[in-house]
Amino acid sequence: MTEPPGPPGTPRGAAAPSAPGAEGKVAPTVVPVRHPWRWVASAVVLVVVAMMVNTLFFSHVERGGVREGRFQWGVVGKYLFYHPILRGIGVTLELTVIAMVAGIVIGVLLAVMRLSPNRLLSGAAWLYIWFFRGTPVLVQLFFWYVGITYLYPHLSFGIPFGPGFVTVNANVLVTTFVAGSLGLSLNEGAYMAEIVRAGIISVDEGQTEAAQSLGMSKRQTLRLIVLPQAMRIIIPPTGNETISMLKTTSLVYVIALVELFTATQNVSNANYETVPLLLVASIWYLFFTSILTVGQYYVERHYARGSTRALPPTPLQKLRQGLFQLRPGRPGLPMDVPLAAPHE
Amino acid sequence: MVEARGVCKSFGRLEVLKGIDLTVNRGEVLCLIGPSGSGKSTFLRCINHLENVDSGELSVDGELVGYRLSGDKLYELRDKEVCGKRAEIGMVFQRFNLFPHMSVLDNVMSGPVRVRRESSAVARERAHRLLERVGLADKETNYPNQLSGGQQQRVAIARALAMEPKLMLFDEPTSALDPELVGDVLDVMRGLADDGMTMIVVTHEMGFAREVGDTVVFMDGGVVVESGDPKTVLTDPQHQRTRSFLSKVL
């Protein structure tokens, strides 16, 4: 167990008041190991942090004969809630949700196909993943926007190799939004497929046998027994994918779809406040990735049921525990007490 | 209750079952013994069609399991149809295989609610009763990994019984348990046998086979070498192979 740097010389909780031993001797007190280099490292970190705070908020610079704050937070504040940028945020969130939901659906489908004993099905899934993982998203986005209208100026829906019922102009159907969501979703599907597959094969085969011996069908077994357990493996990388997707949506800049990043660029192209608007974009991306991080923590905690004897504390509980520990003589809340006596 | 005729099964080139003939009557407790790799577990898994058979007939309660006989061919049934048959056969595994993401109560209720579409009130009532019977009424809200192996195996038995099966299959139910926990599980099984449950038990517990079993079947190399009354087979085996096996385990 690592110990956070505390005031030196104060034993932390562990040392119980020593009681006289059997022969009247006093049992020796435990003195924890000292960590001097930890103190040095902490000092270095503190200096760096101080430098960063200084340069971010208190330093000035001369630009074109005018002395102004280095990071121009005033300009940042002015555009942070600027209407076009808020609209851009809406599009970014829409794209993220669409791409992740579609990606997960495609991923589950492909994962089940890849695990199918039918070679054609598993081969098709393999081919899909090979293609979409093997080419850059940027190229795929361009492809869906420019390539589709070039290759198929008229899209026709109907019987394969037979007559088409509806024919539409690709330029009308494939808007930047459609191309953007399509490109991101199909690409995400390939990655999610591998994540879901890893989750499914991590579940012990005995679980499937037990479910089948109760009379559950293959579909029930997958839905009620295998997938819930696979979730524990699937959730953490899916959280990463969602956070990653939120930022990847900025790539649709190249097909002129106006989401958060494109919106900030449009503004800075007009007023030349390039850096402050990059900061505006960064602040919003950080805000939403932070929310996702907290959300991911609670989802992981939910699916940890049954895999750990005691659920890990929530950030709130950790905070409370930390506060209690600051007071001398209080060992903190008993968080690690198991939910019930584990063994008979 | 169970009727096997010439059941054969291979995994690739390896012939695991080489024509098993076996009959289990209603209410009978049959203990399958034999060295590892003799095909006992495979045969047990064929009975509820967790493994498919290559040839031969296997029927439970007068109906083929997993197949339909038409002319001289056995047609494998679809998943849905096999499920109905499996639901009538309870199975207990060596490694318990409880569902770790469900509480003990949900484990026991899962079969009736999901497969039989029973109301959860009815299923809960039965689950209470069964958990009481296996001595774990106070563990209902626990998760499987909070229980010892012996407790988990008793929950697994309750889960199988919740489907009110006609037949119970036990695949080395005590092999993964600490020695001092074996007794509790065997007690539950003994109680079941006393209540007249038809049981097939793959086991290394010779004491249990002798005491509870109505019949002992010794398998080796994918064939039934010897079968009969436990006292005769275990104390006065007729075959050399049975004798050498028993001399090692007893």
Side-chain angles (χ1 to χ4, degrees), chain A residues 204 206-207 209-220 223-225 228-229 305-309 339-344, chain B residues 45 48 50 79 83 86-87 89 93 97-102 110 114-115 117 142-143 145-148 151 154 159 163 181:
Chain A
D204 182 34
Q207 293 291 313
E209 290 177 359
Q212 289 185 339
S213 77
L214 285 174
M216 286 189 195
S217 65
K218 287 207 170 99
R219 191 175 302 177
Q220 276 180 316
R223 190 166 58 85
L224 301 170
I225 306 301
Q229 293 183 56
R305 270 178 322 170
S307 61
T308 46
R309 293 221 170 107
L339 296 173
H343 281 286
E344 56 182 8
Chain B
R45 292 154 59 82
N48 67 351
L50 281 182
D79 184 49
C83 285
R86 277 205 194 111
I89 306 169
F93 300 86
N97 297 349
L98 290 180
F99 305 134
H101 59 302
M102 296 181 185
S110 59
R114 299 297 186 170
V115 178
R117 307 265 169 227
N142 286 68
Y143 283 90
N145 70 349
Q146 297 168 331
L147 305 181
S148 72
Q151 291 172 331
R154 282 183 280 155
R159 178 177 68 179
M163 293 300 285
L181 305 177

Short mmCIF file of all heavy atoms in Angstrom, two decimals, chain A residues 204 206-207 209-220 223-225 228-229 305-309 339-344, chain B residues 45 48 50 79 83 86-87 89 93 97-102 110 114-115 117 142-143 145-148 151 154 159 163 181:
data_model
loop_
_atom_site.label_atom_id
_atom_site.label_comp_id
_atom_site.label_asym_id
_atom_site.label_seq_id
_atom_site.Cartn_x
_atom_site.Cartn_y
_atom_site.Cartn_z
N ASP A 204 -16.46 -17.49 -18.85
CA ASP A 204 -16.20 -18.92 -18.75
C ASP A 204 -17.28 -19.73 -19.48
O ASP A 204 -18.46 -19.41 -19.41
CB ASP A 204 -16.19 -19.30 -17.27
CG ASP A 204 -15.88 -20.77 -17.07
OD1 ASP A 204 -15.10 -21.30 -17.86
OD2 ASP A 204 -16.44 -21.36 -16.13
N GLY A 206 -18.36 -22.54 -18.78
CA GLY A 206 -19.25 -23.17 -17.82
C GLY A 206 -20.53 -22.37 -17.60
O GLY A 206 -21.58 -22.92 -17.30
N GLN A 207 -20.44 -21.05 -17.79
CA GLN A 207 -21.62 -20.19 -17.64
C GLN A 207 -22.66 -20.52 -18.71
O GLN A 207 -23.85 -20.62 -18.42
CB GLN A 207 -21.20 -18.72 -17.75
CG GLN A 207 -20.34 -18.27 -16.61
CD GLN A 207 -21.13 -18.20 -15.32
OE1 GLN A 207 -22.22 -17.67 -15.28
NE2 GLN A 207 -20.59 -18.78 -14.27
N GLU A 209 -22.88 -23.35 -20.31
CA GLU A 209 -23.40 -24.69 -20.07
C GLU A 209 -24.45 -24.67 -18.96
O GLU A 209 -25.49 -25.33 -19.07
CB GLU A 209 -22.25 -25.63 -19.68
CG GLU A 209 -21.33 -25.91 -20.85
CD GLU A 209 -20.16 -26.76 -20.45
OE1 GLU A 209 -20.05 -27.13 -19.26
OE2 GLU A 209 -19.34 -27.07 -21.33
N ALA A 210 -24.16 -23.91 -17.89
CA ALA A 210 -25.12 -23.85 -16.79
C ALA A 210 -26.44 -23.25 -17.27
O ALA A 210 -27.51 -23.75 -16.95
CB ALA A 210 -24.55 -23.01 -15.64
N ALA A 211 -26.35 -22.18 -18.08
CA ALA A 211 -27.57 -21.54 -18.58
C ALA A 211 -28.34 -22.50 -19.48
O ALA A 211 -29.56 -22.62 -19.38
CB ALA A 211 -27.20 -20.27 -19.35
N GLN A 212 -27.62 -23.21 -20.34
CA GLN A 212 -28.30 -24.14 -21.25
C GLN A 212 -28.91 -25.31 -20.50
O GLN A 212 -29.97 -25.79 -20.86
CB GLN A 212 -27.33 -24.62 -22.32
CG GLN A 212 -27.00 -23.51 -23.30
CD GLN A 212 -26.13 -23.97 -24.44
OE1 GLN A 212 -25.45 -24.98 -24.34
NE2 GLN A 212 -26.15 -23.22 -25.52
N SER A 213 -28.21 -25.76 -19.43
CA SER A 213 -28.75 -26.89 -18.68
C SER A 213 -30.05 -26.50 -17.97
O SER A 213 -30.86 -27.36 -17.63
CB SER A 213 -27.73 -27.42 -17.68
OG SER A 213 -27.66 -26.58 -16.56
N LEU A 214 -30.24 -25.18 -17.74
CA LEU A 214 -31.51 -24.73 -17.15
C LEU A 214 -32.60 -24.63 -18.22
O LEU A 214 -33.76 -24.41 -17.90
CB LEU A 214 -31.34 -23.37 -16.49
CG LEU A 214 -30.60 -23.33 -15.16
CD1 LEU A 214 -30.40 -21.90 -14.72
CD2 LEU A 214 -31.35 -24.11 -14.09
N GLY A 215 -32.20 -24.77 -19.47
CA GLY A 215 -33.18 -24.71 -20.56
C GLY A 215 -33.21 -23.37 -21.27
O GLY A 215 -34.12 -23.12 -22.06
N MET A 216 -32.23 -22.50 -20.99
CA MET A 216 -32.23 -21.21 -21.68
C MET A 216 -31.80 -21.41 -23.13
O MET A 216 -30.93 -22.22 -23.43
CB MET A 216 -31.25 -20.25 -21.00
CG MET A 216 -31.74 -19.70 -19.68
SD MET A 216 -30.68 -18.41 -19.08
CE MET A 216 -31.23 -18.30 -17.38
N SER A 217 -32.42 -20.62 -24.01
CA SER A 217 -32.05 -20.70 -25.43
C SER A 217 -30.72 -19.98 -25.62
O SER A 217 -30.22 -19.31 -24.73
CB SER A 217 -33.12 -20.03 -26.28
OG SER A 217 -33.15 -18.65 -25.99
N LYS A 218 -30.16 -20.15 -26.82
CA LYS A 218 -28.85 -19.52 -27.09
C LYS A 218 -28.95 -18.01 -26.93
O LYS A 218 -28.05 -17.37 -26.41
CB LYS A 218 -28.40 -19.87 -28.51
CG LYS A 218 -27.94 -21.31 -28.63
CD LYS A 218 -26.92 -21.47 -29.75
CE LYS A 218 -26.27 -22.84 -29.72
NZ LYS A 218 -26.85 -23.78 -30.67
N ARG A 219 -30.07 -17.45 -27.42
CA ARG A 219 -30.22 -15.99 -27.35
C ARG A 219 -30.34 -15.53 -25.90
O ARG A 219 -29.73 -14.56 -25.50
CB ARG A 219 -31.44 -15.55 -28.16
CG ARG A 219 -31.48 -14.06 -28.35
CD ARG A 219 -32.62 -13.65 -29.24
NE ARG A 219 -32.55 -14.27 -30.55
CZ ARG A 219 -33.48 -14.11 -31.49
NH1 ARG A 219 -34.53 -13.37 -31.25
NH2 ARG A 219 -33.36 -14.70 -32.65
N GLN A 220 -31.17 -16.26 -25.12
CA GLN A 220 -31.31 -15.90 -23.69
C GLN A 220 -29.96 -15.99 -22.98
O GLN A 220 -29.63 -15.15 -22.16
CB GLN A 220 -32.28 -16.85 -23.01
CG GLN A 220 -33.74 -16.47 -23.17
CD GLN A 220 -34.63 -17.46 -22.45
OE1 GLN A 220 -34.42 -18.66 -22.54
NE2 GLN A 220 -35.63 -16.95 -21.76
N ARG A 223 -27.94 -12.99 -23.82
CA ARG A 223 -28.47 -11.73 -23.30
C ARG A 223 -28.45 -11.68 -21.77
O ARG A 223 -28.10 -10.66 -21.19
CB ARG A 223 -29.91 -11.56 -23.80
CG ARG A 223 -30.52 -10.19 -23.55
CD ARG A 223 -31.78 -10.02 -24.38
NE ARG A 223 -32.76 -11.06 -24.08
CZ ARG A 223 -33.62 -10.98 -23.06
NH1 ARG A 223 -33.63 -9.94 -22.28
NH2 ARG A 223 -34.49 -11.96 -22.84
N LEU A 224 -28.80 -12.80 -21.12
CA LEU A 224 -28.97 -12.77 -19.67
C LEU A 224 -27.72 -13.19 -18.91
O LEU A 224 -27.52 -12.78 -17.77
CB LEU A 224 -30.12 -13.70 -19.25
CG LEU A 224 -31.49 -13.39 -19.84
CD1 LEU A 224 -32.45 -14.51 -19.54
CD2 LEU A 224 -32.00 -12.09 -19.28
N ILE A 225 -26.92 -14.03 -19.52
CA ILE A 225 -25.79 -14.59 -18.78
C ILE A 225 -24.45 -14.08 -19.32
O ILE A 225 -23.63 -13.57 -18.56
CB ILE A 225 -25.82 -16.14 -18.83
CG1 ILE A 225 -27.18 -16.66 -18.36
CG2 ILE A 225 -24.69 -16.72 -18.00
CD1 ILE A 225 -27.57 -16.27 -16.96
N PRO A 228 -24.03 -9.70 -19.77
CA PRO A 228 -23.84 -8.95 -18.52
C PRO A 228 -22.48 -9.18 -17.88
O PRO A 228 -21.90 -8.26 -17.29
CB PRO A 228 -24.96 -9.48 -17.61
CG PRO A 228 -25.98 -10.01 -18.53
CD PRO A 228 -25.24 -10.52 -19.74
N GLN A 229 -21.96 -10.40 -18.01
CA GLN A 229 -20.64 -10.66 -17.44
C GLN A 229 -19.54 -10.10 -18.31
O GLN A 229 -18.50 -9.67 -17.82
CB GLN A 229 -20.44 -12.16 -17.25
CG GLN A 229 -21.36 -12.75 -16.21
CD GLN A 229 -21.09 -14.21 -15.99
OE1 GLN A 229 -19.98 -14.62 -15.67
NE2 GLN A 229 -22.10 -15.04 -16.17
N ARG A 305 -20.58 -5.66 -9.72
CA ARG A 305 -21.36 -6.48 -8.79
C ARG A 305 -21.00 -7.95 -8.95
O ARG A 305 -21.01 -8.48 -10.05
CB ARG A 305 -22.85 -6.34 -9.05
CG ARG A 305 -23.52 -5.22 -8.30
CD ARG A 305 -24.96 -5.18 -8.70
NE ARG A 305 -25.07 -5.47 -10.12
CZ ARG A 305 -26.20 -5.69 -10.75
NH1 ARG A 305 -27.31 -5.67 -10.10
NH2 ARG A 305 -26.23 -5.93 -12.04
N GLY A 306 -20.69 -8.59 -7.85
CA GLY A 306 -20.44 -10.02 -7.92
C GLY A 306 -19.02 -10.38 -8.29
O GLY A 306 -18.63 -11.51 -8.18
N SER A 307 -18.22 -9.40 -8.77
CA SER A 307 -16.85 -9.76 -9.14
C SER A 307 -15.87 -9.34 -8.05
O SER A 307 -14.79 -9.87 -7.94
CB SER A 307 -16.46 -9.12 -10.46
OG SER A 307 -16.52 -7.72 -10.35
N THR A 308 -16.27 -8.37 -7.23
CA THR A 308 -15.44 -8.04 -6.09
C THR A 308 -16.29 -8.21 -4.85
O THR A 308 -17.49 -8.02 -4.88
CB THR A 308 -14.95 -6.57 -6.15
OG1 THR A 308 -16.07 -5.75 -6.48
CG2 THR A 308 -13.87 -6.40 -7.18
N ARG A 309 -15.65 -8.54 -3.74
CA ARG A 309 -16.42 -8.78 -2.52
C ARG A 309 -16.98 -7.48 -1.99
O ARG A 309 -18.07 -7.42 -1.48
CB ARG A 309 -15.51 -9.43 -1.48
CG ARG A 309 -15.12 -10.82 -1.93
CD ARG A 309 -15.15 -11.78 -0.76
NE ARG A 309 -15.01 -13.13 -1.28
CZ ARG A 309 -13.91 -13.85 -1.15
NH1 ARG A 309 -12.89 -13.37 -0.51
NH2 ARG A 309 -13.86 -15.06 -1.65
N LEU A 339 -19.20 -6.67 2.18
CA LEU A 339 -20.64 -6.56 2.27
C LEU A 339 -21.21 -7.58 3.24
O LEU A 339 -22.22 -7.37 3.87
CB LEU A 339 -21.26 -6.76 0.90
CG LEU A 339 -20.88 -5.70 -0.13
CD1 LEU A 339 -21.39 -6.07 -1.49
CD2 LEU A 339 -21.39 -4.34 0.30
N ALA A 340 -20.56 -8.73 3.33
CA ALA A 340 -21.01 -9.76 4.26
C ALA A 340 -19.82 -10.64 4.55
O ALA A 340 -18.81 -10.60 3.85
CB ALA A 340 -22.13 -10.57 3.64
N ALA A 341 -19.93 -11.42 5.59
CA ALA A 341 -18.84 -12.33 5.91
C ALA A 341 -18.60 -13.24 4.71
O ALA A 341 -19.51 -13.92 4.27
CB ALA A 341 -19.20 -13.16 7.14
N PRO A 342 -17.39 -13.24 4.14
CA PRO A 342 -17.17 -13.95 2.89
C PRO A 342 -17.15 -15.47 3.03
O PRO A 342 -17.51 -16.16 2.10
CB PRO A 342 -15.81 -13.42 2.42
CG PRO A 342 -15.15 -12.85 3.62
CD PRO A 342 -16.23 -12.47 4.57
N HIS A 343 -16.76 -15.98 4.14
CA HIS A 343 -16.62 -17.43 4.22
C HIS A 343 -17.32 -17.99 5.43
O HIS A 343 -17.48 -17.31 6.43
CB HIS A 343 -15.15 -17.83 4.25
CG HIS A 343 -14.54 -17.80 2.90
ND1 HIS A 343 -14.80 -18.75 1.96
CD2 HIS A 343 -13.73 -16.89 2.31
CE1 HIS A 343 -14.15 -18.45 0.86
NE2 HIS A 343 -13.49 -17.33 1.05
N GLU A 344 -17.68 -19.24 5.29
CA GLU A 344 -18.33 -19.87 6.42
C GLU A 344 -17.29 -20.31 7.45
O GLU A 344 -16.13 -20.50 7.11
CB GLU A 344 -19.17 -21.05 5.98
CG GLU A 344 -18.43 -22.11 5.20
CD GLU A 344 -19.35 -23.23 4.76
OE1 GLU A 344 -20.57 -23.11 4.93
OE2 GLU A 344 -18.82 -24.21 4.25
N ARG B 45 -22.91 -35.47 -20.10
CA ARG B 45 -23.22 -34.27 -20.87
C ARG B 45 -24.01 -34.59 -22.13
O ARG B 45 -24.70 -33.72 -22.66
CB ARG B 45 -21.94 -33.52 -21.21
CG ARG B 45 -21.26 -32.92 -19.97
CD ARG B 45 -19.77 -32.75 -20.19
NE ARG B 45 -19.50 -31.89 -21.32
CZ ARG B 45 -19.51 -30.56 -21.26
NH1 ARG B 45 -19.75 -29.98 -20.11
NH2 ARG B 45 -19.28 -29.84 -22.32
N ASN B 48 -28.08 -34.55 -21.43
CA ASN B 48 -28.90 -33.35 -21.65
C ASN B 48 -28.43 -32.57 -22.89
O ASN B 48 -28.68 -31.38 -23.02
CB ASN B 48 -28.95 -32.46 -20.41
CG ASN B 48 -27.61 -31.83 -20.07
OD1 ASN B 48 -26.60 -32.18 -20.66
ND2 ASN B 48 -27.63 -30.91 -19.14
N LEU B 50 -25.67 -31.43 -23.94
CA LEU B 50 -24.62 -30.40 -23.96
C LEU B 50 -23.56 -30.83 -24.97
O LEU B 50 -22.85 -30.01 -25.52
CB LEU B 50 -23.98 -30.22 -22.58
CG LEU B 50 -24.76 -29.39 -21.56
CD1 LEU B 50 -23.99 -29.26 -20.26
CD2 LEU B 50 -25.11 -28.02 -22.10
N ASP B 79 -32.47 -25.48 -31.59
CA ASP B 79 -32.14 -25.02 -30.24
C ASP B 79 -33.37 -24.93 -29.34
O ASP B 79 -33.39 -25.43 -28.22
CB ASP B 79 -31.44 -23.66 -30.36
CG ASP B 79 -30.98 -23.13 -29.02
OD1 ASP B 79 -30.34 -23.91 -28.29
OD2 ASP B 79 -31.26 -21.97 -28.71
N CYS B 83 -34.15 -26.99 -25.84
CA CYS B 83 -34.28 -26.27 -24.57
C CYS B 83 -35.40 -26.82 -23.70
O CYS B 83 -35.24 -26.98 -22.50
CB CYS B 83 -34.54 -24.79 -24.83
SG CYS B 83 -33.08 -23.93 -25.38
N ARG B 86 -34.20 -29.96 -22.10
CA ARG B 86 -33.15 -29.71 -21.11
C ARG B 86 -33.73 -29.19 -19.81
O ARG B 86 -33.21 -29.46 -18.73
CB ARG B 86 -32.17 -28.67 -21.64
CG ARG B 86 -31.12 -29.22 -22.53
CD ARG B 86 -29.91 -28.30 -22.48
NE ARG B 86 -29.01 -28.61 -23.57
CZ ARG B 86 -28.80 -27.81 -24.60
NH1 ARG B 86 -29.42 -26.66 -24.69
NH2 ARG B 86 -27.96 -28.17 -25.54
N ALA B 87 -34.81 -28.40 -19.92
CA ALA B 87 -35.40 -27.79 -18.73
C ALA B 87 -35.91 -28.85 -17.76
O ALA B 87 -36.07 -28.58 -16.58
CB ALA B 87 -36.52 -26.84 -19.14
N ILE B 89 -34.28 -31.58 -17.11
CA ILE B 89 -33.13 -32.30 -16.58
C ILE B 89 -32.24 -31.32 -15.83
O ILE B 89 -31.75 -30.36 -16.40
CB ILE B 89 -32.33 -32.95 -17.73
CG1 ILE B 89 -33.24 -33.83 -18.59
CG2 ILE B 89 -31.17 -33.76 -17.17
CD1 ILE B 89 -32.60 -34.30 -19.87
N PHE B 93 -22.61 -28.96 -11.73
CA PHE B 93 -21.28 -29.05 -12.32
C PHE B 93 -20.19 -29.11 -11.26
O PHE B 93 -20.37 -28.67 -10.13
CB PHE B 93 -21.03 -27.82 -13.20
CG PHE B 93 -22.02 -27.68 -14.33
CD1 PHE B 93 -23.23 -27.02 -14.13
CD2 PHE B 93 -21.73 -28.19 -15.57
CE1 PHE B 93 -24.13 -26.90 -15.17
CE2 PHE B 93 -22.63 -28.06 -16.61
CZ PHE B 93 -23.84 -27.42 -16.42
N ASN B 97 -20.45 -23.24 -11.44
CA ASN B 97 -21.00 -22.41 -12.53
C ASN B 97 -22.22 -21.60 -12.11
O ASN B 97 -23.16 -21.46 -12.88
CB ASN B 97 -21.36 -23.27 -13.75
CG ASN B 97 -20.14 -23.93 -14.34
OD1 ASN B 97 -19.02 -23.61 -13.99
ND2 ASN B 97 -20.35 -24.86 -15.25
N LEU B 98 -22.19 -21.06 -10.91
CA LEU B 98 -23.25 -20.11 -10.54
C LEU B 98 -23.04 -18.85 -11.36
O LEU B 98 -21.92 -18.57 -11.80
CB LEU B 98 -23.17 -19.78 -9.05
CG LEU B 98 -23.57 -20.90 -8.10
CD1 LEU B 98 -23.45 -20.44 -6.65
CD2 LEU B 98 -24.99 -21.37 -8.37
N PHE B 99 -24.12 -18.07 -11.56
CA PHE B 99 -23.99 -16.84 -12.32
C PHE B 99 -23.46 -15.75 -11.38
O PHE B 99 -24.18 -15.32 -10.47
CB PHE B 99 -25.33 -16.43 -12.91
CG PHE B 99 -25.95 -17.53 -13.75
CD1 PHE B 99 -27.29 -17.87 -13.61
CD2 PHE B 99 -25.18 -18.24 -14.67
CE1 PHE B 99 -27.86 -18.88 -14.37
CE2 PHE B 99 -25.73 -19.25 -15.43
CZ PHE B 99 -27.08 -19.58 -15.28
N PRO B 100 -22.23 -15.31 -11.57
CA PRO B 100 -21.60 -14.43 -10.56
C PRO B 100 -22.23 -13.05 -10.47
O PRO B 100 -22.05 -12.37 -9.47
CB PRO B 100 -20.15 -14.33 -11.04
CG PRO B 100 -20.17 -14.66 -12.48
CD PRO B 100 -21.32 -15.62 -12.67
N HIS B 101 -22.96 -12.64 -11.50
CA HIS B 101 -23.51 -11.29 -11.49
C HIS B 101 -24.91 -11.25 -10.89
O HIS B 101 -25.56 -10.22 -10.90
CB HIS B 101 -23.53 -10.70 -12.90
CG HIS B 101 -24.33 -11.51 -13.88
ND1 HIS B 101 -24.06 -12.84 -14.14
CD2 HIS B 101 -25.39 -11.20 -14.64
CE1 HIS B 101 -24.92 -13.29 -15.03
NE2 HIS B 101 -25.74 -12.33 -15.35
N MET B 102 -25.38 -12.40 -10.38
CA MET B 102 -26.71 -12.45 -9.78
C MET B 102 -26.57 -12.87 -8.32
O MET B 102 -25.69 -13.64 -7.97
CB MET B 102 -27.58 -13.50 -10.47
CG MET B 102 -27.89 -13.23 -11.92
SD MET B 102 -28.95 -14.55 -12.52
CE MET B 102 -29.03 -14.12 -14.26
N SER B 110 -33.62 -17.79 -11.61
CA SER B 110 -33.39 -17.48 -13.02
C SER B 110 -34.07 -18.48 -13.96
O SER B 110 -34.69 -18.09 -14.95
CB SER B 110 -31.89 -17.42 -13.31
OG SER B 110 -31.29 -18.66 -12.99
N ARG B 114 -37.11 -17.14 -16.25
CA ARG B 114 -36.71 -16.88 -17.63
C ARG B 114 -37.13 -17.98 -18.59
O ARG B 114 -37.44 -17.71 -19.74
CB ARG B 114 -35.19 -16.72 -17.73
CG ARG B 114 -34.66 -15.58 -16.91
CD ARG B 114 -35.22 -14.27 -17.40
NE ARG B 114 -34.59 -13.15 -16.71
CZ ARG B 114 -34.76 -11.89 -17.07
NH1 ARG B 114 -35.56 -11.58 -18.08
NH2 ARG B 114 -34.17 -10.93 -16.40
N VAL B 115 -37.11 -19.21 -18.12
CA VAL B 115 -37.41 -20.32 -19.03
C VAL B 115 -38.88 -20.72 -18.94
O VAL B 115 -39.56 -20.85 -19.94
CB VAL B 115 -36.50 -21.53 -18.73
CG1 VAL B 115 -36.84 -22.69 -19.63
CG2 VAL B 115 -35.03 -21.13 -18.90
N ARG B 117 -41.19 -18.90 -17.51
CA ARG B 117 -42.03 -17.69 -17.51
C ARG B 117 -42.97 -17.67 -16.31
O ARG B 117 -44.12 -17.23 -16.42
CB ARG B 117 -42.84 -17.56 -18.80
CG ARG B 117 -42.01 -17.63 -20.05
CD ARG B 117 -41.65 -16.24 -20.52
NE ARG B 117 -40.64 -16.29 -21.56
CZ ARG B 117 -39.55 -15.53 -21.58
NH1 ARG B 117 -39.32 -14.68 -20.63
NH2 ARG B 117 -38.67 -15.63 -22.55
N ASN B 142 -26.68 -12.67 -0.82
CA ASN B 142 -25.26 -12.68 -1.12
C ASN B 142 -24.99 -12.97 -2.59
O ASN B 142 -25.83 -13.53 -3.28
CB ASN B 142 -24.57 -13.76 -0.28
CG ASN B 142 -24.44 -13.35 1.16
OD1 ASN B 142 -25.45 -13.25 1.86
ND2 ASN B 142 -23.24 -13.11 1.60
N TYR B 143 -23.80 -12.59 -3.04
CA TYR B 143 -23.36 -12.97 -4.37
C TYR B 143 -22.49 -14.22 -4.27
O TYR B 143 -21.87 -14.45 -3.21
CB TYR B 143 -22.58 -11.82 -5.02
CG TYR B 143 -23.50 -10.74 -5.52
CD1 TYR B 143 -23.87 -9.68 -4.72
CD2 TYR B 143 -24.04 -10.83 -6.79
CE1 TYR B 143 -24.75 -8.71 -5.18
CE2 TYR B 143 -24.92 -9.87 -7.26
CZ TYR B 143 -25.27 -8.80 -6.44
OH TYR B 143 -26.14 -7.87 -6.91
N ASN B 145 -19.56 -15.16 -5.10
CA ASN B 145 -18.17 -15.14 -4.66
C ASN B 145 -18.02 -14.78 -3.19
O ASN B 145 -16.91 -14.72 -2.68
CB ASN B 145 -17.32 -14.21 -5.54
CG ASN B 145 -17.65 -12.76 -5.33
OD1 ASN B 145 -18.64 -12.42 -4.69
ND2 ASN B 145 -16.83 -11.88 -5.86
N GLN B 146 -19.14 -14.54 -2.52
CA GLN B 146 -19.08 -14.33 -1.07
C GLN B 146 -19.32 -15.63 -0.31
O GLN B 146 -19.35 -15.64 0.90
CB GLN B 146 -20.11 -13.28 -0.64
CG GLN B 146 -19.83 -11.92 -1.25
CD GLN B 146 -20.97 -10.95 -1.08
OE1 GLN B 146 -22.12 -11.37 -1.00
NE2 GLN B 146 -20.67 -9.68 -1.05
N LEU B 147 -19.52 -16.72 -1.07
CA LEU B 147 -19.81 -18.01 -0.44
C LEU B 147 -18.62 -18.95 -0.59
O LEU B 147 -17.81 -18.80 -1.51
CB LEU B 147 -21.04 -18.66 -1.10
CG LEU B 147 -22.33 -17.86 -1.16
CD1 LEU B 147 -23.41 -18.71 -1.82
CD2 LEU B 147 -22.76 -17.45 0.23
N SER B 148 -18.55 -19.93 0.29
CA SER B 148 -17.53 -20.96 0.14
C SER B 148 -17.95 -21.92 -0.96
O SER B 148 -19.08 -21.89 -1.43
CB SER B 148 -17.40 -21.72 1.45
OG SER B 148 -18.54 -22.54 1.63
N GLN B 151 -20.96 -24.01 -0.08
CA GLN B 151 -22.22 -23.25 -0.14
C GLN B 151 -22.62 -23.01 -1.58
O GLN B 151 -23.80 -23.14 -1.94
CB GLN B 151 -22.03 -21.92 0.59
CG GLN B 151 -21.88 -22.08 2.09
CD GLN B 151 -21.50 -20.77 2.77
OE1 GLN B 151 -20.85 -19.92 2.17
NE2 GLN B 151 -21.88 -20.62 4.01
N ARG B 154 -24.20 -26.02 -3.06
CA ARG B 154 -25.57 -26.26 -2.59
C ARG B 154 -26.55 -25.29 -3.26
O ARG B 154 -27.68 -25.66 -3.55
CB ARG B 154 -25.61 -26.14 -1.06
CG ARG B 154 -25.05 -27.41 -0.39
CD ARG B 154 -25.15 -27.33 1.11
NE ARG B 154 -24.08 -26.53 1.69
CZ ARG B 154 -24.17 -25.89 2.86
NH1 ARG B 154 -25.30 -25.96 3.55
NH2 ARG B 154 -23.16 -25.20 3.32
N ARG B 159 -30.58 -24.33 -7.51
CA ARG B 159 -30.91 -23.73 -8.80
C ARG B 159 -31.44 -24.79 -9.78
O ARG B 159 -32.41 -24.55 -10.50
CB ARG B 159 -29.67 -23.04 -9.38
CG ARG B 159 -29.91 -22.44 -10.75
CD ARG B 159 -28.70 -21.72 -11.27
NE ARG B 159 -27.60 -22.64 -11.58
CZ ARG B 159 -26.42 -22.26 -12.06
NH1 ARG B 159 -26.19 -20.98 -12.27
NH2 ARG B 159 -25.47 -23.14 -12.32
N MET B 163 -36.17 -25.91 -11.21
CA MET B 163 -36.87 -26.24 -12.46
C MET B 163 -37.74 -27.48 -12.29
O MET B 163 -38.34 -27.96 -13.25
CB MET B 163 -35.87 -26.46 -13.59
CG MET B 163 -35.11 -25.21 -13.99
SD MET B 163 -36.19 -23.90 -14.58
CE MET B 163 -36.62 -24.53 -16.19
N LEU B 181 -15.85 -29.64 3.44
CA LEU B 181 -17.11 -29.10 2.94
C LEU B 181 -17.89 -30.12 2.12
O LEU B 181 -19.03 -29.89 1.74
CB LEU B 181 -16.85 -27.87 2.07
CG LEU B 181 -16.05 -26.74 2.73
CD1 LEU B 181 -15.81 -25.62 1.76
CD2 LEU B 181 -16.78 -26.23 3.96
#
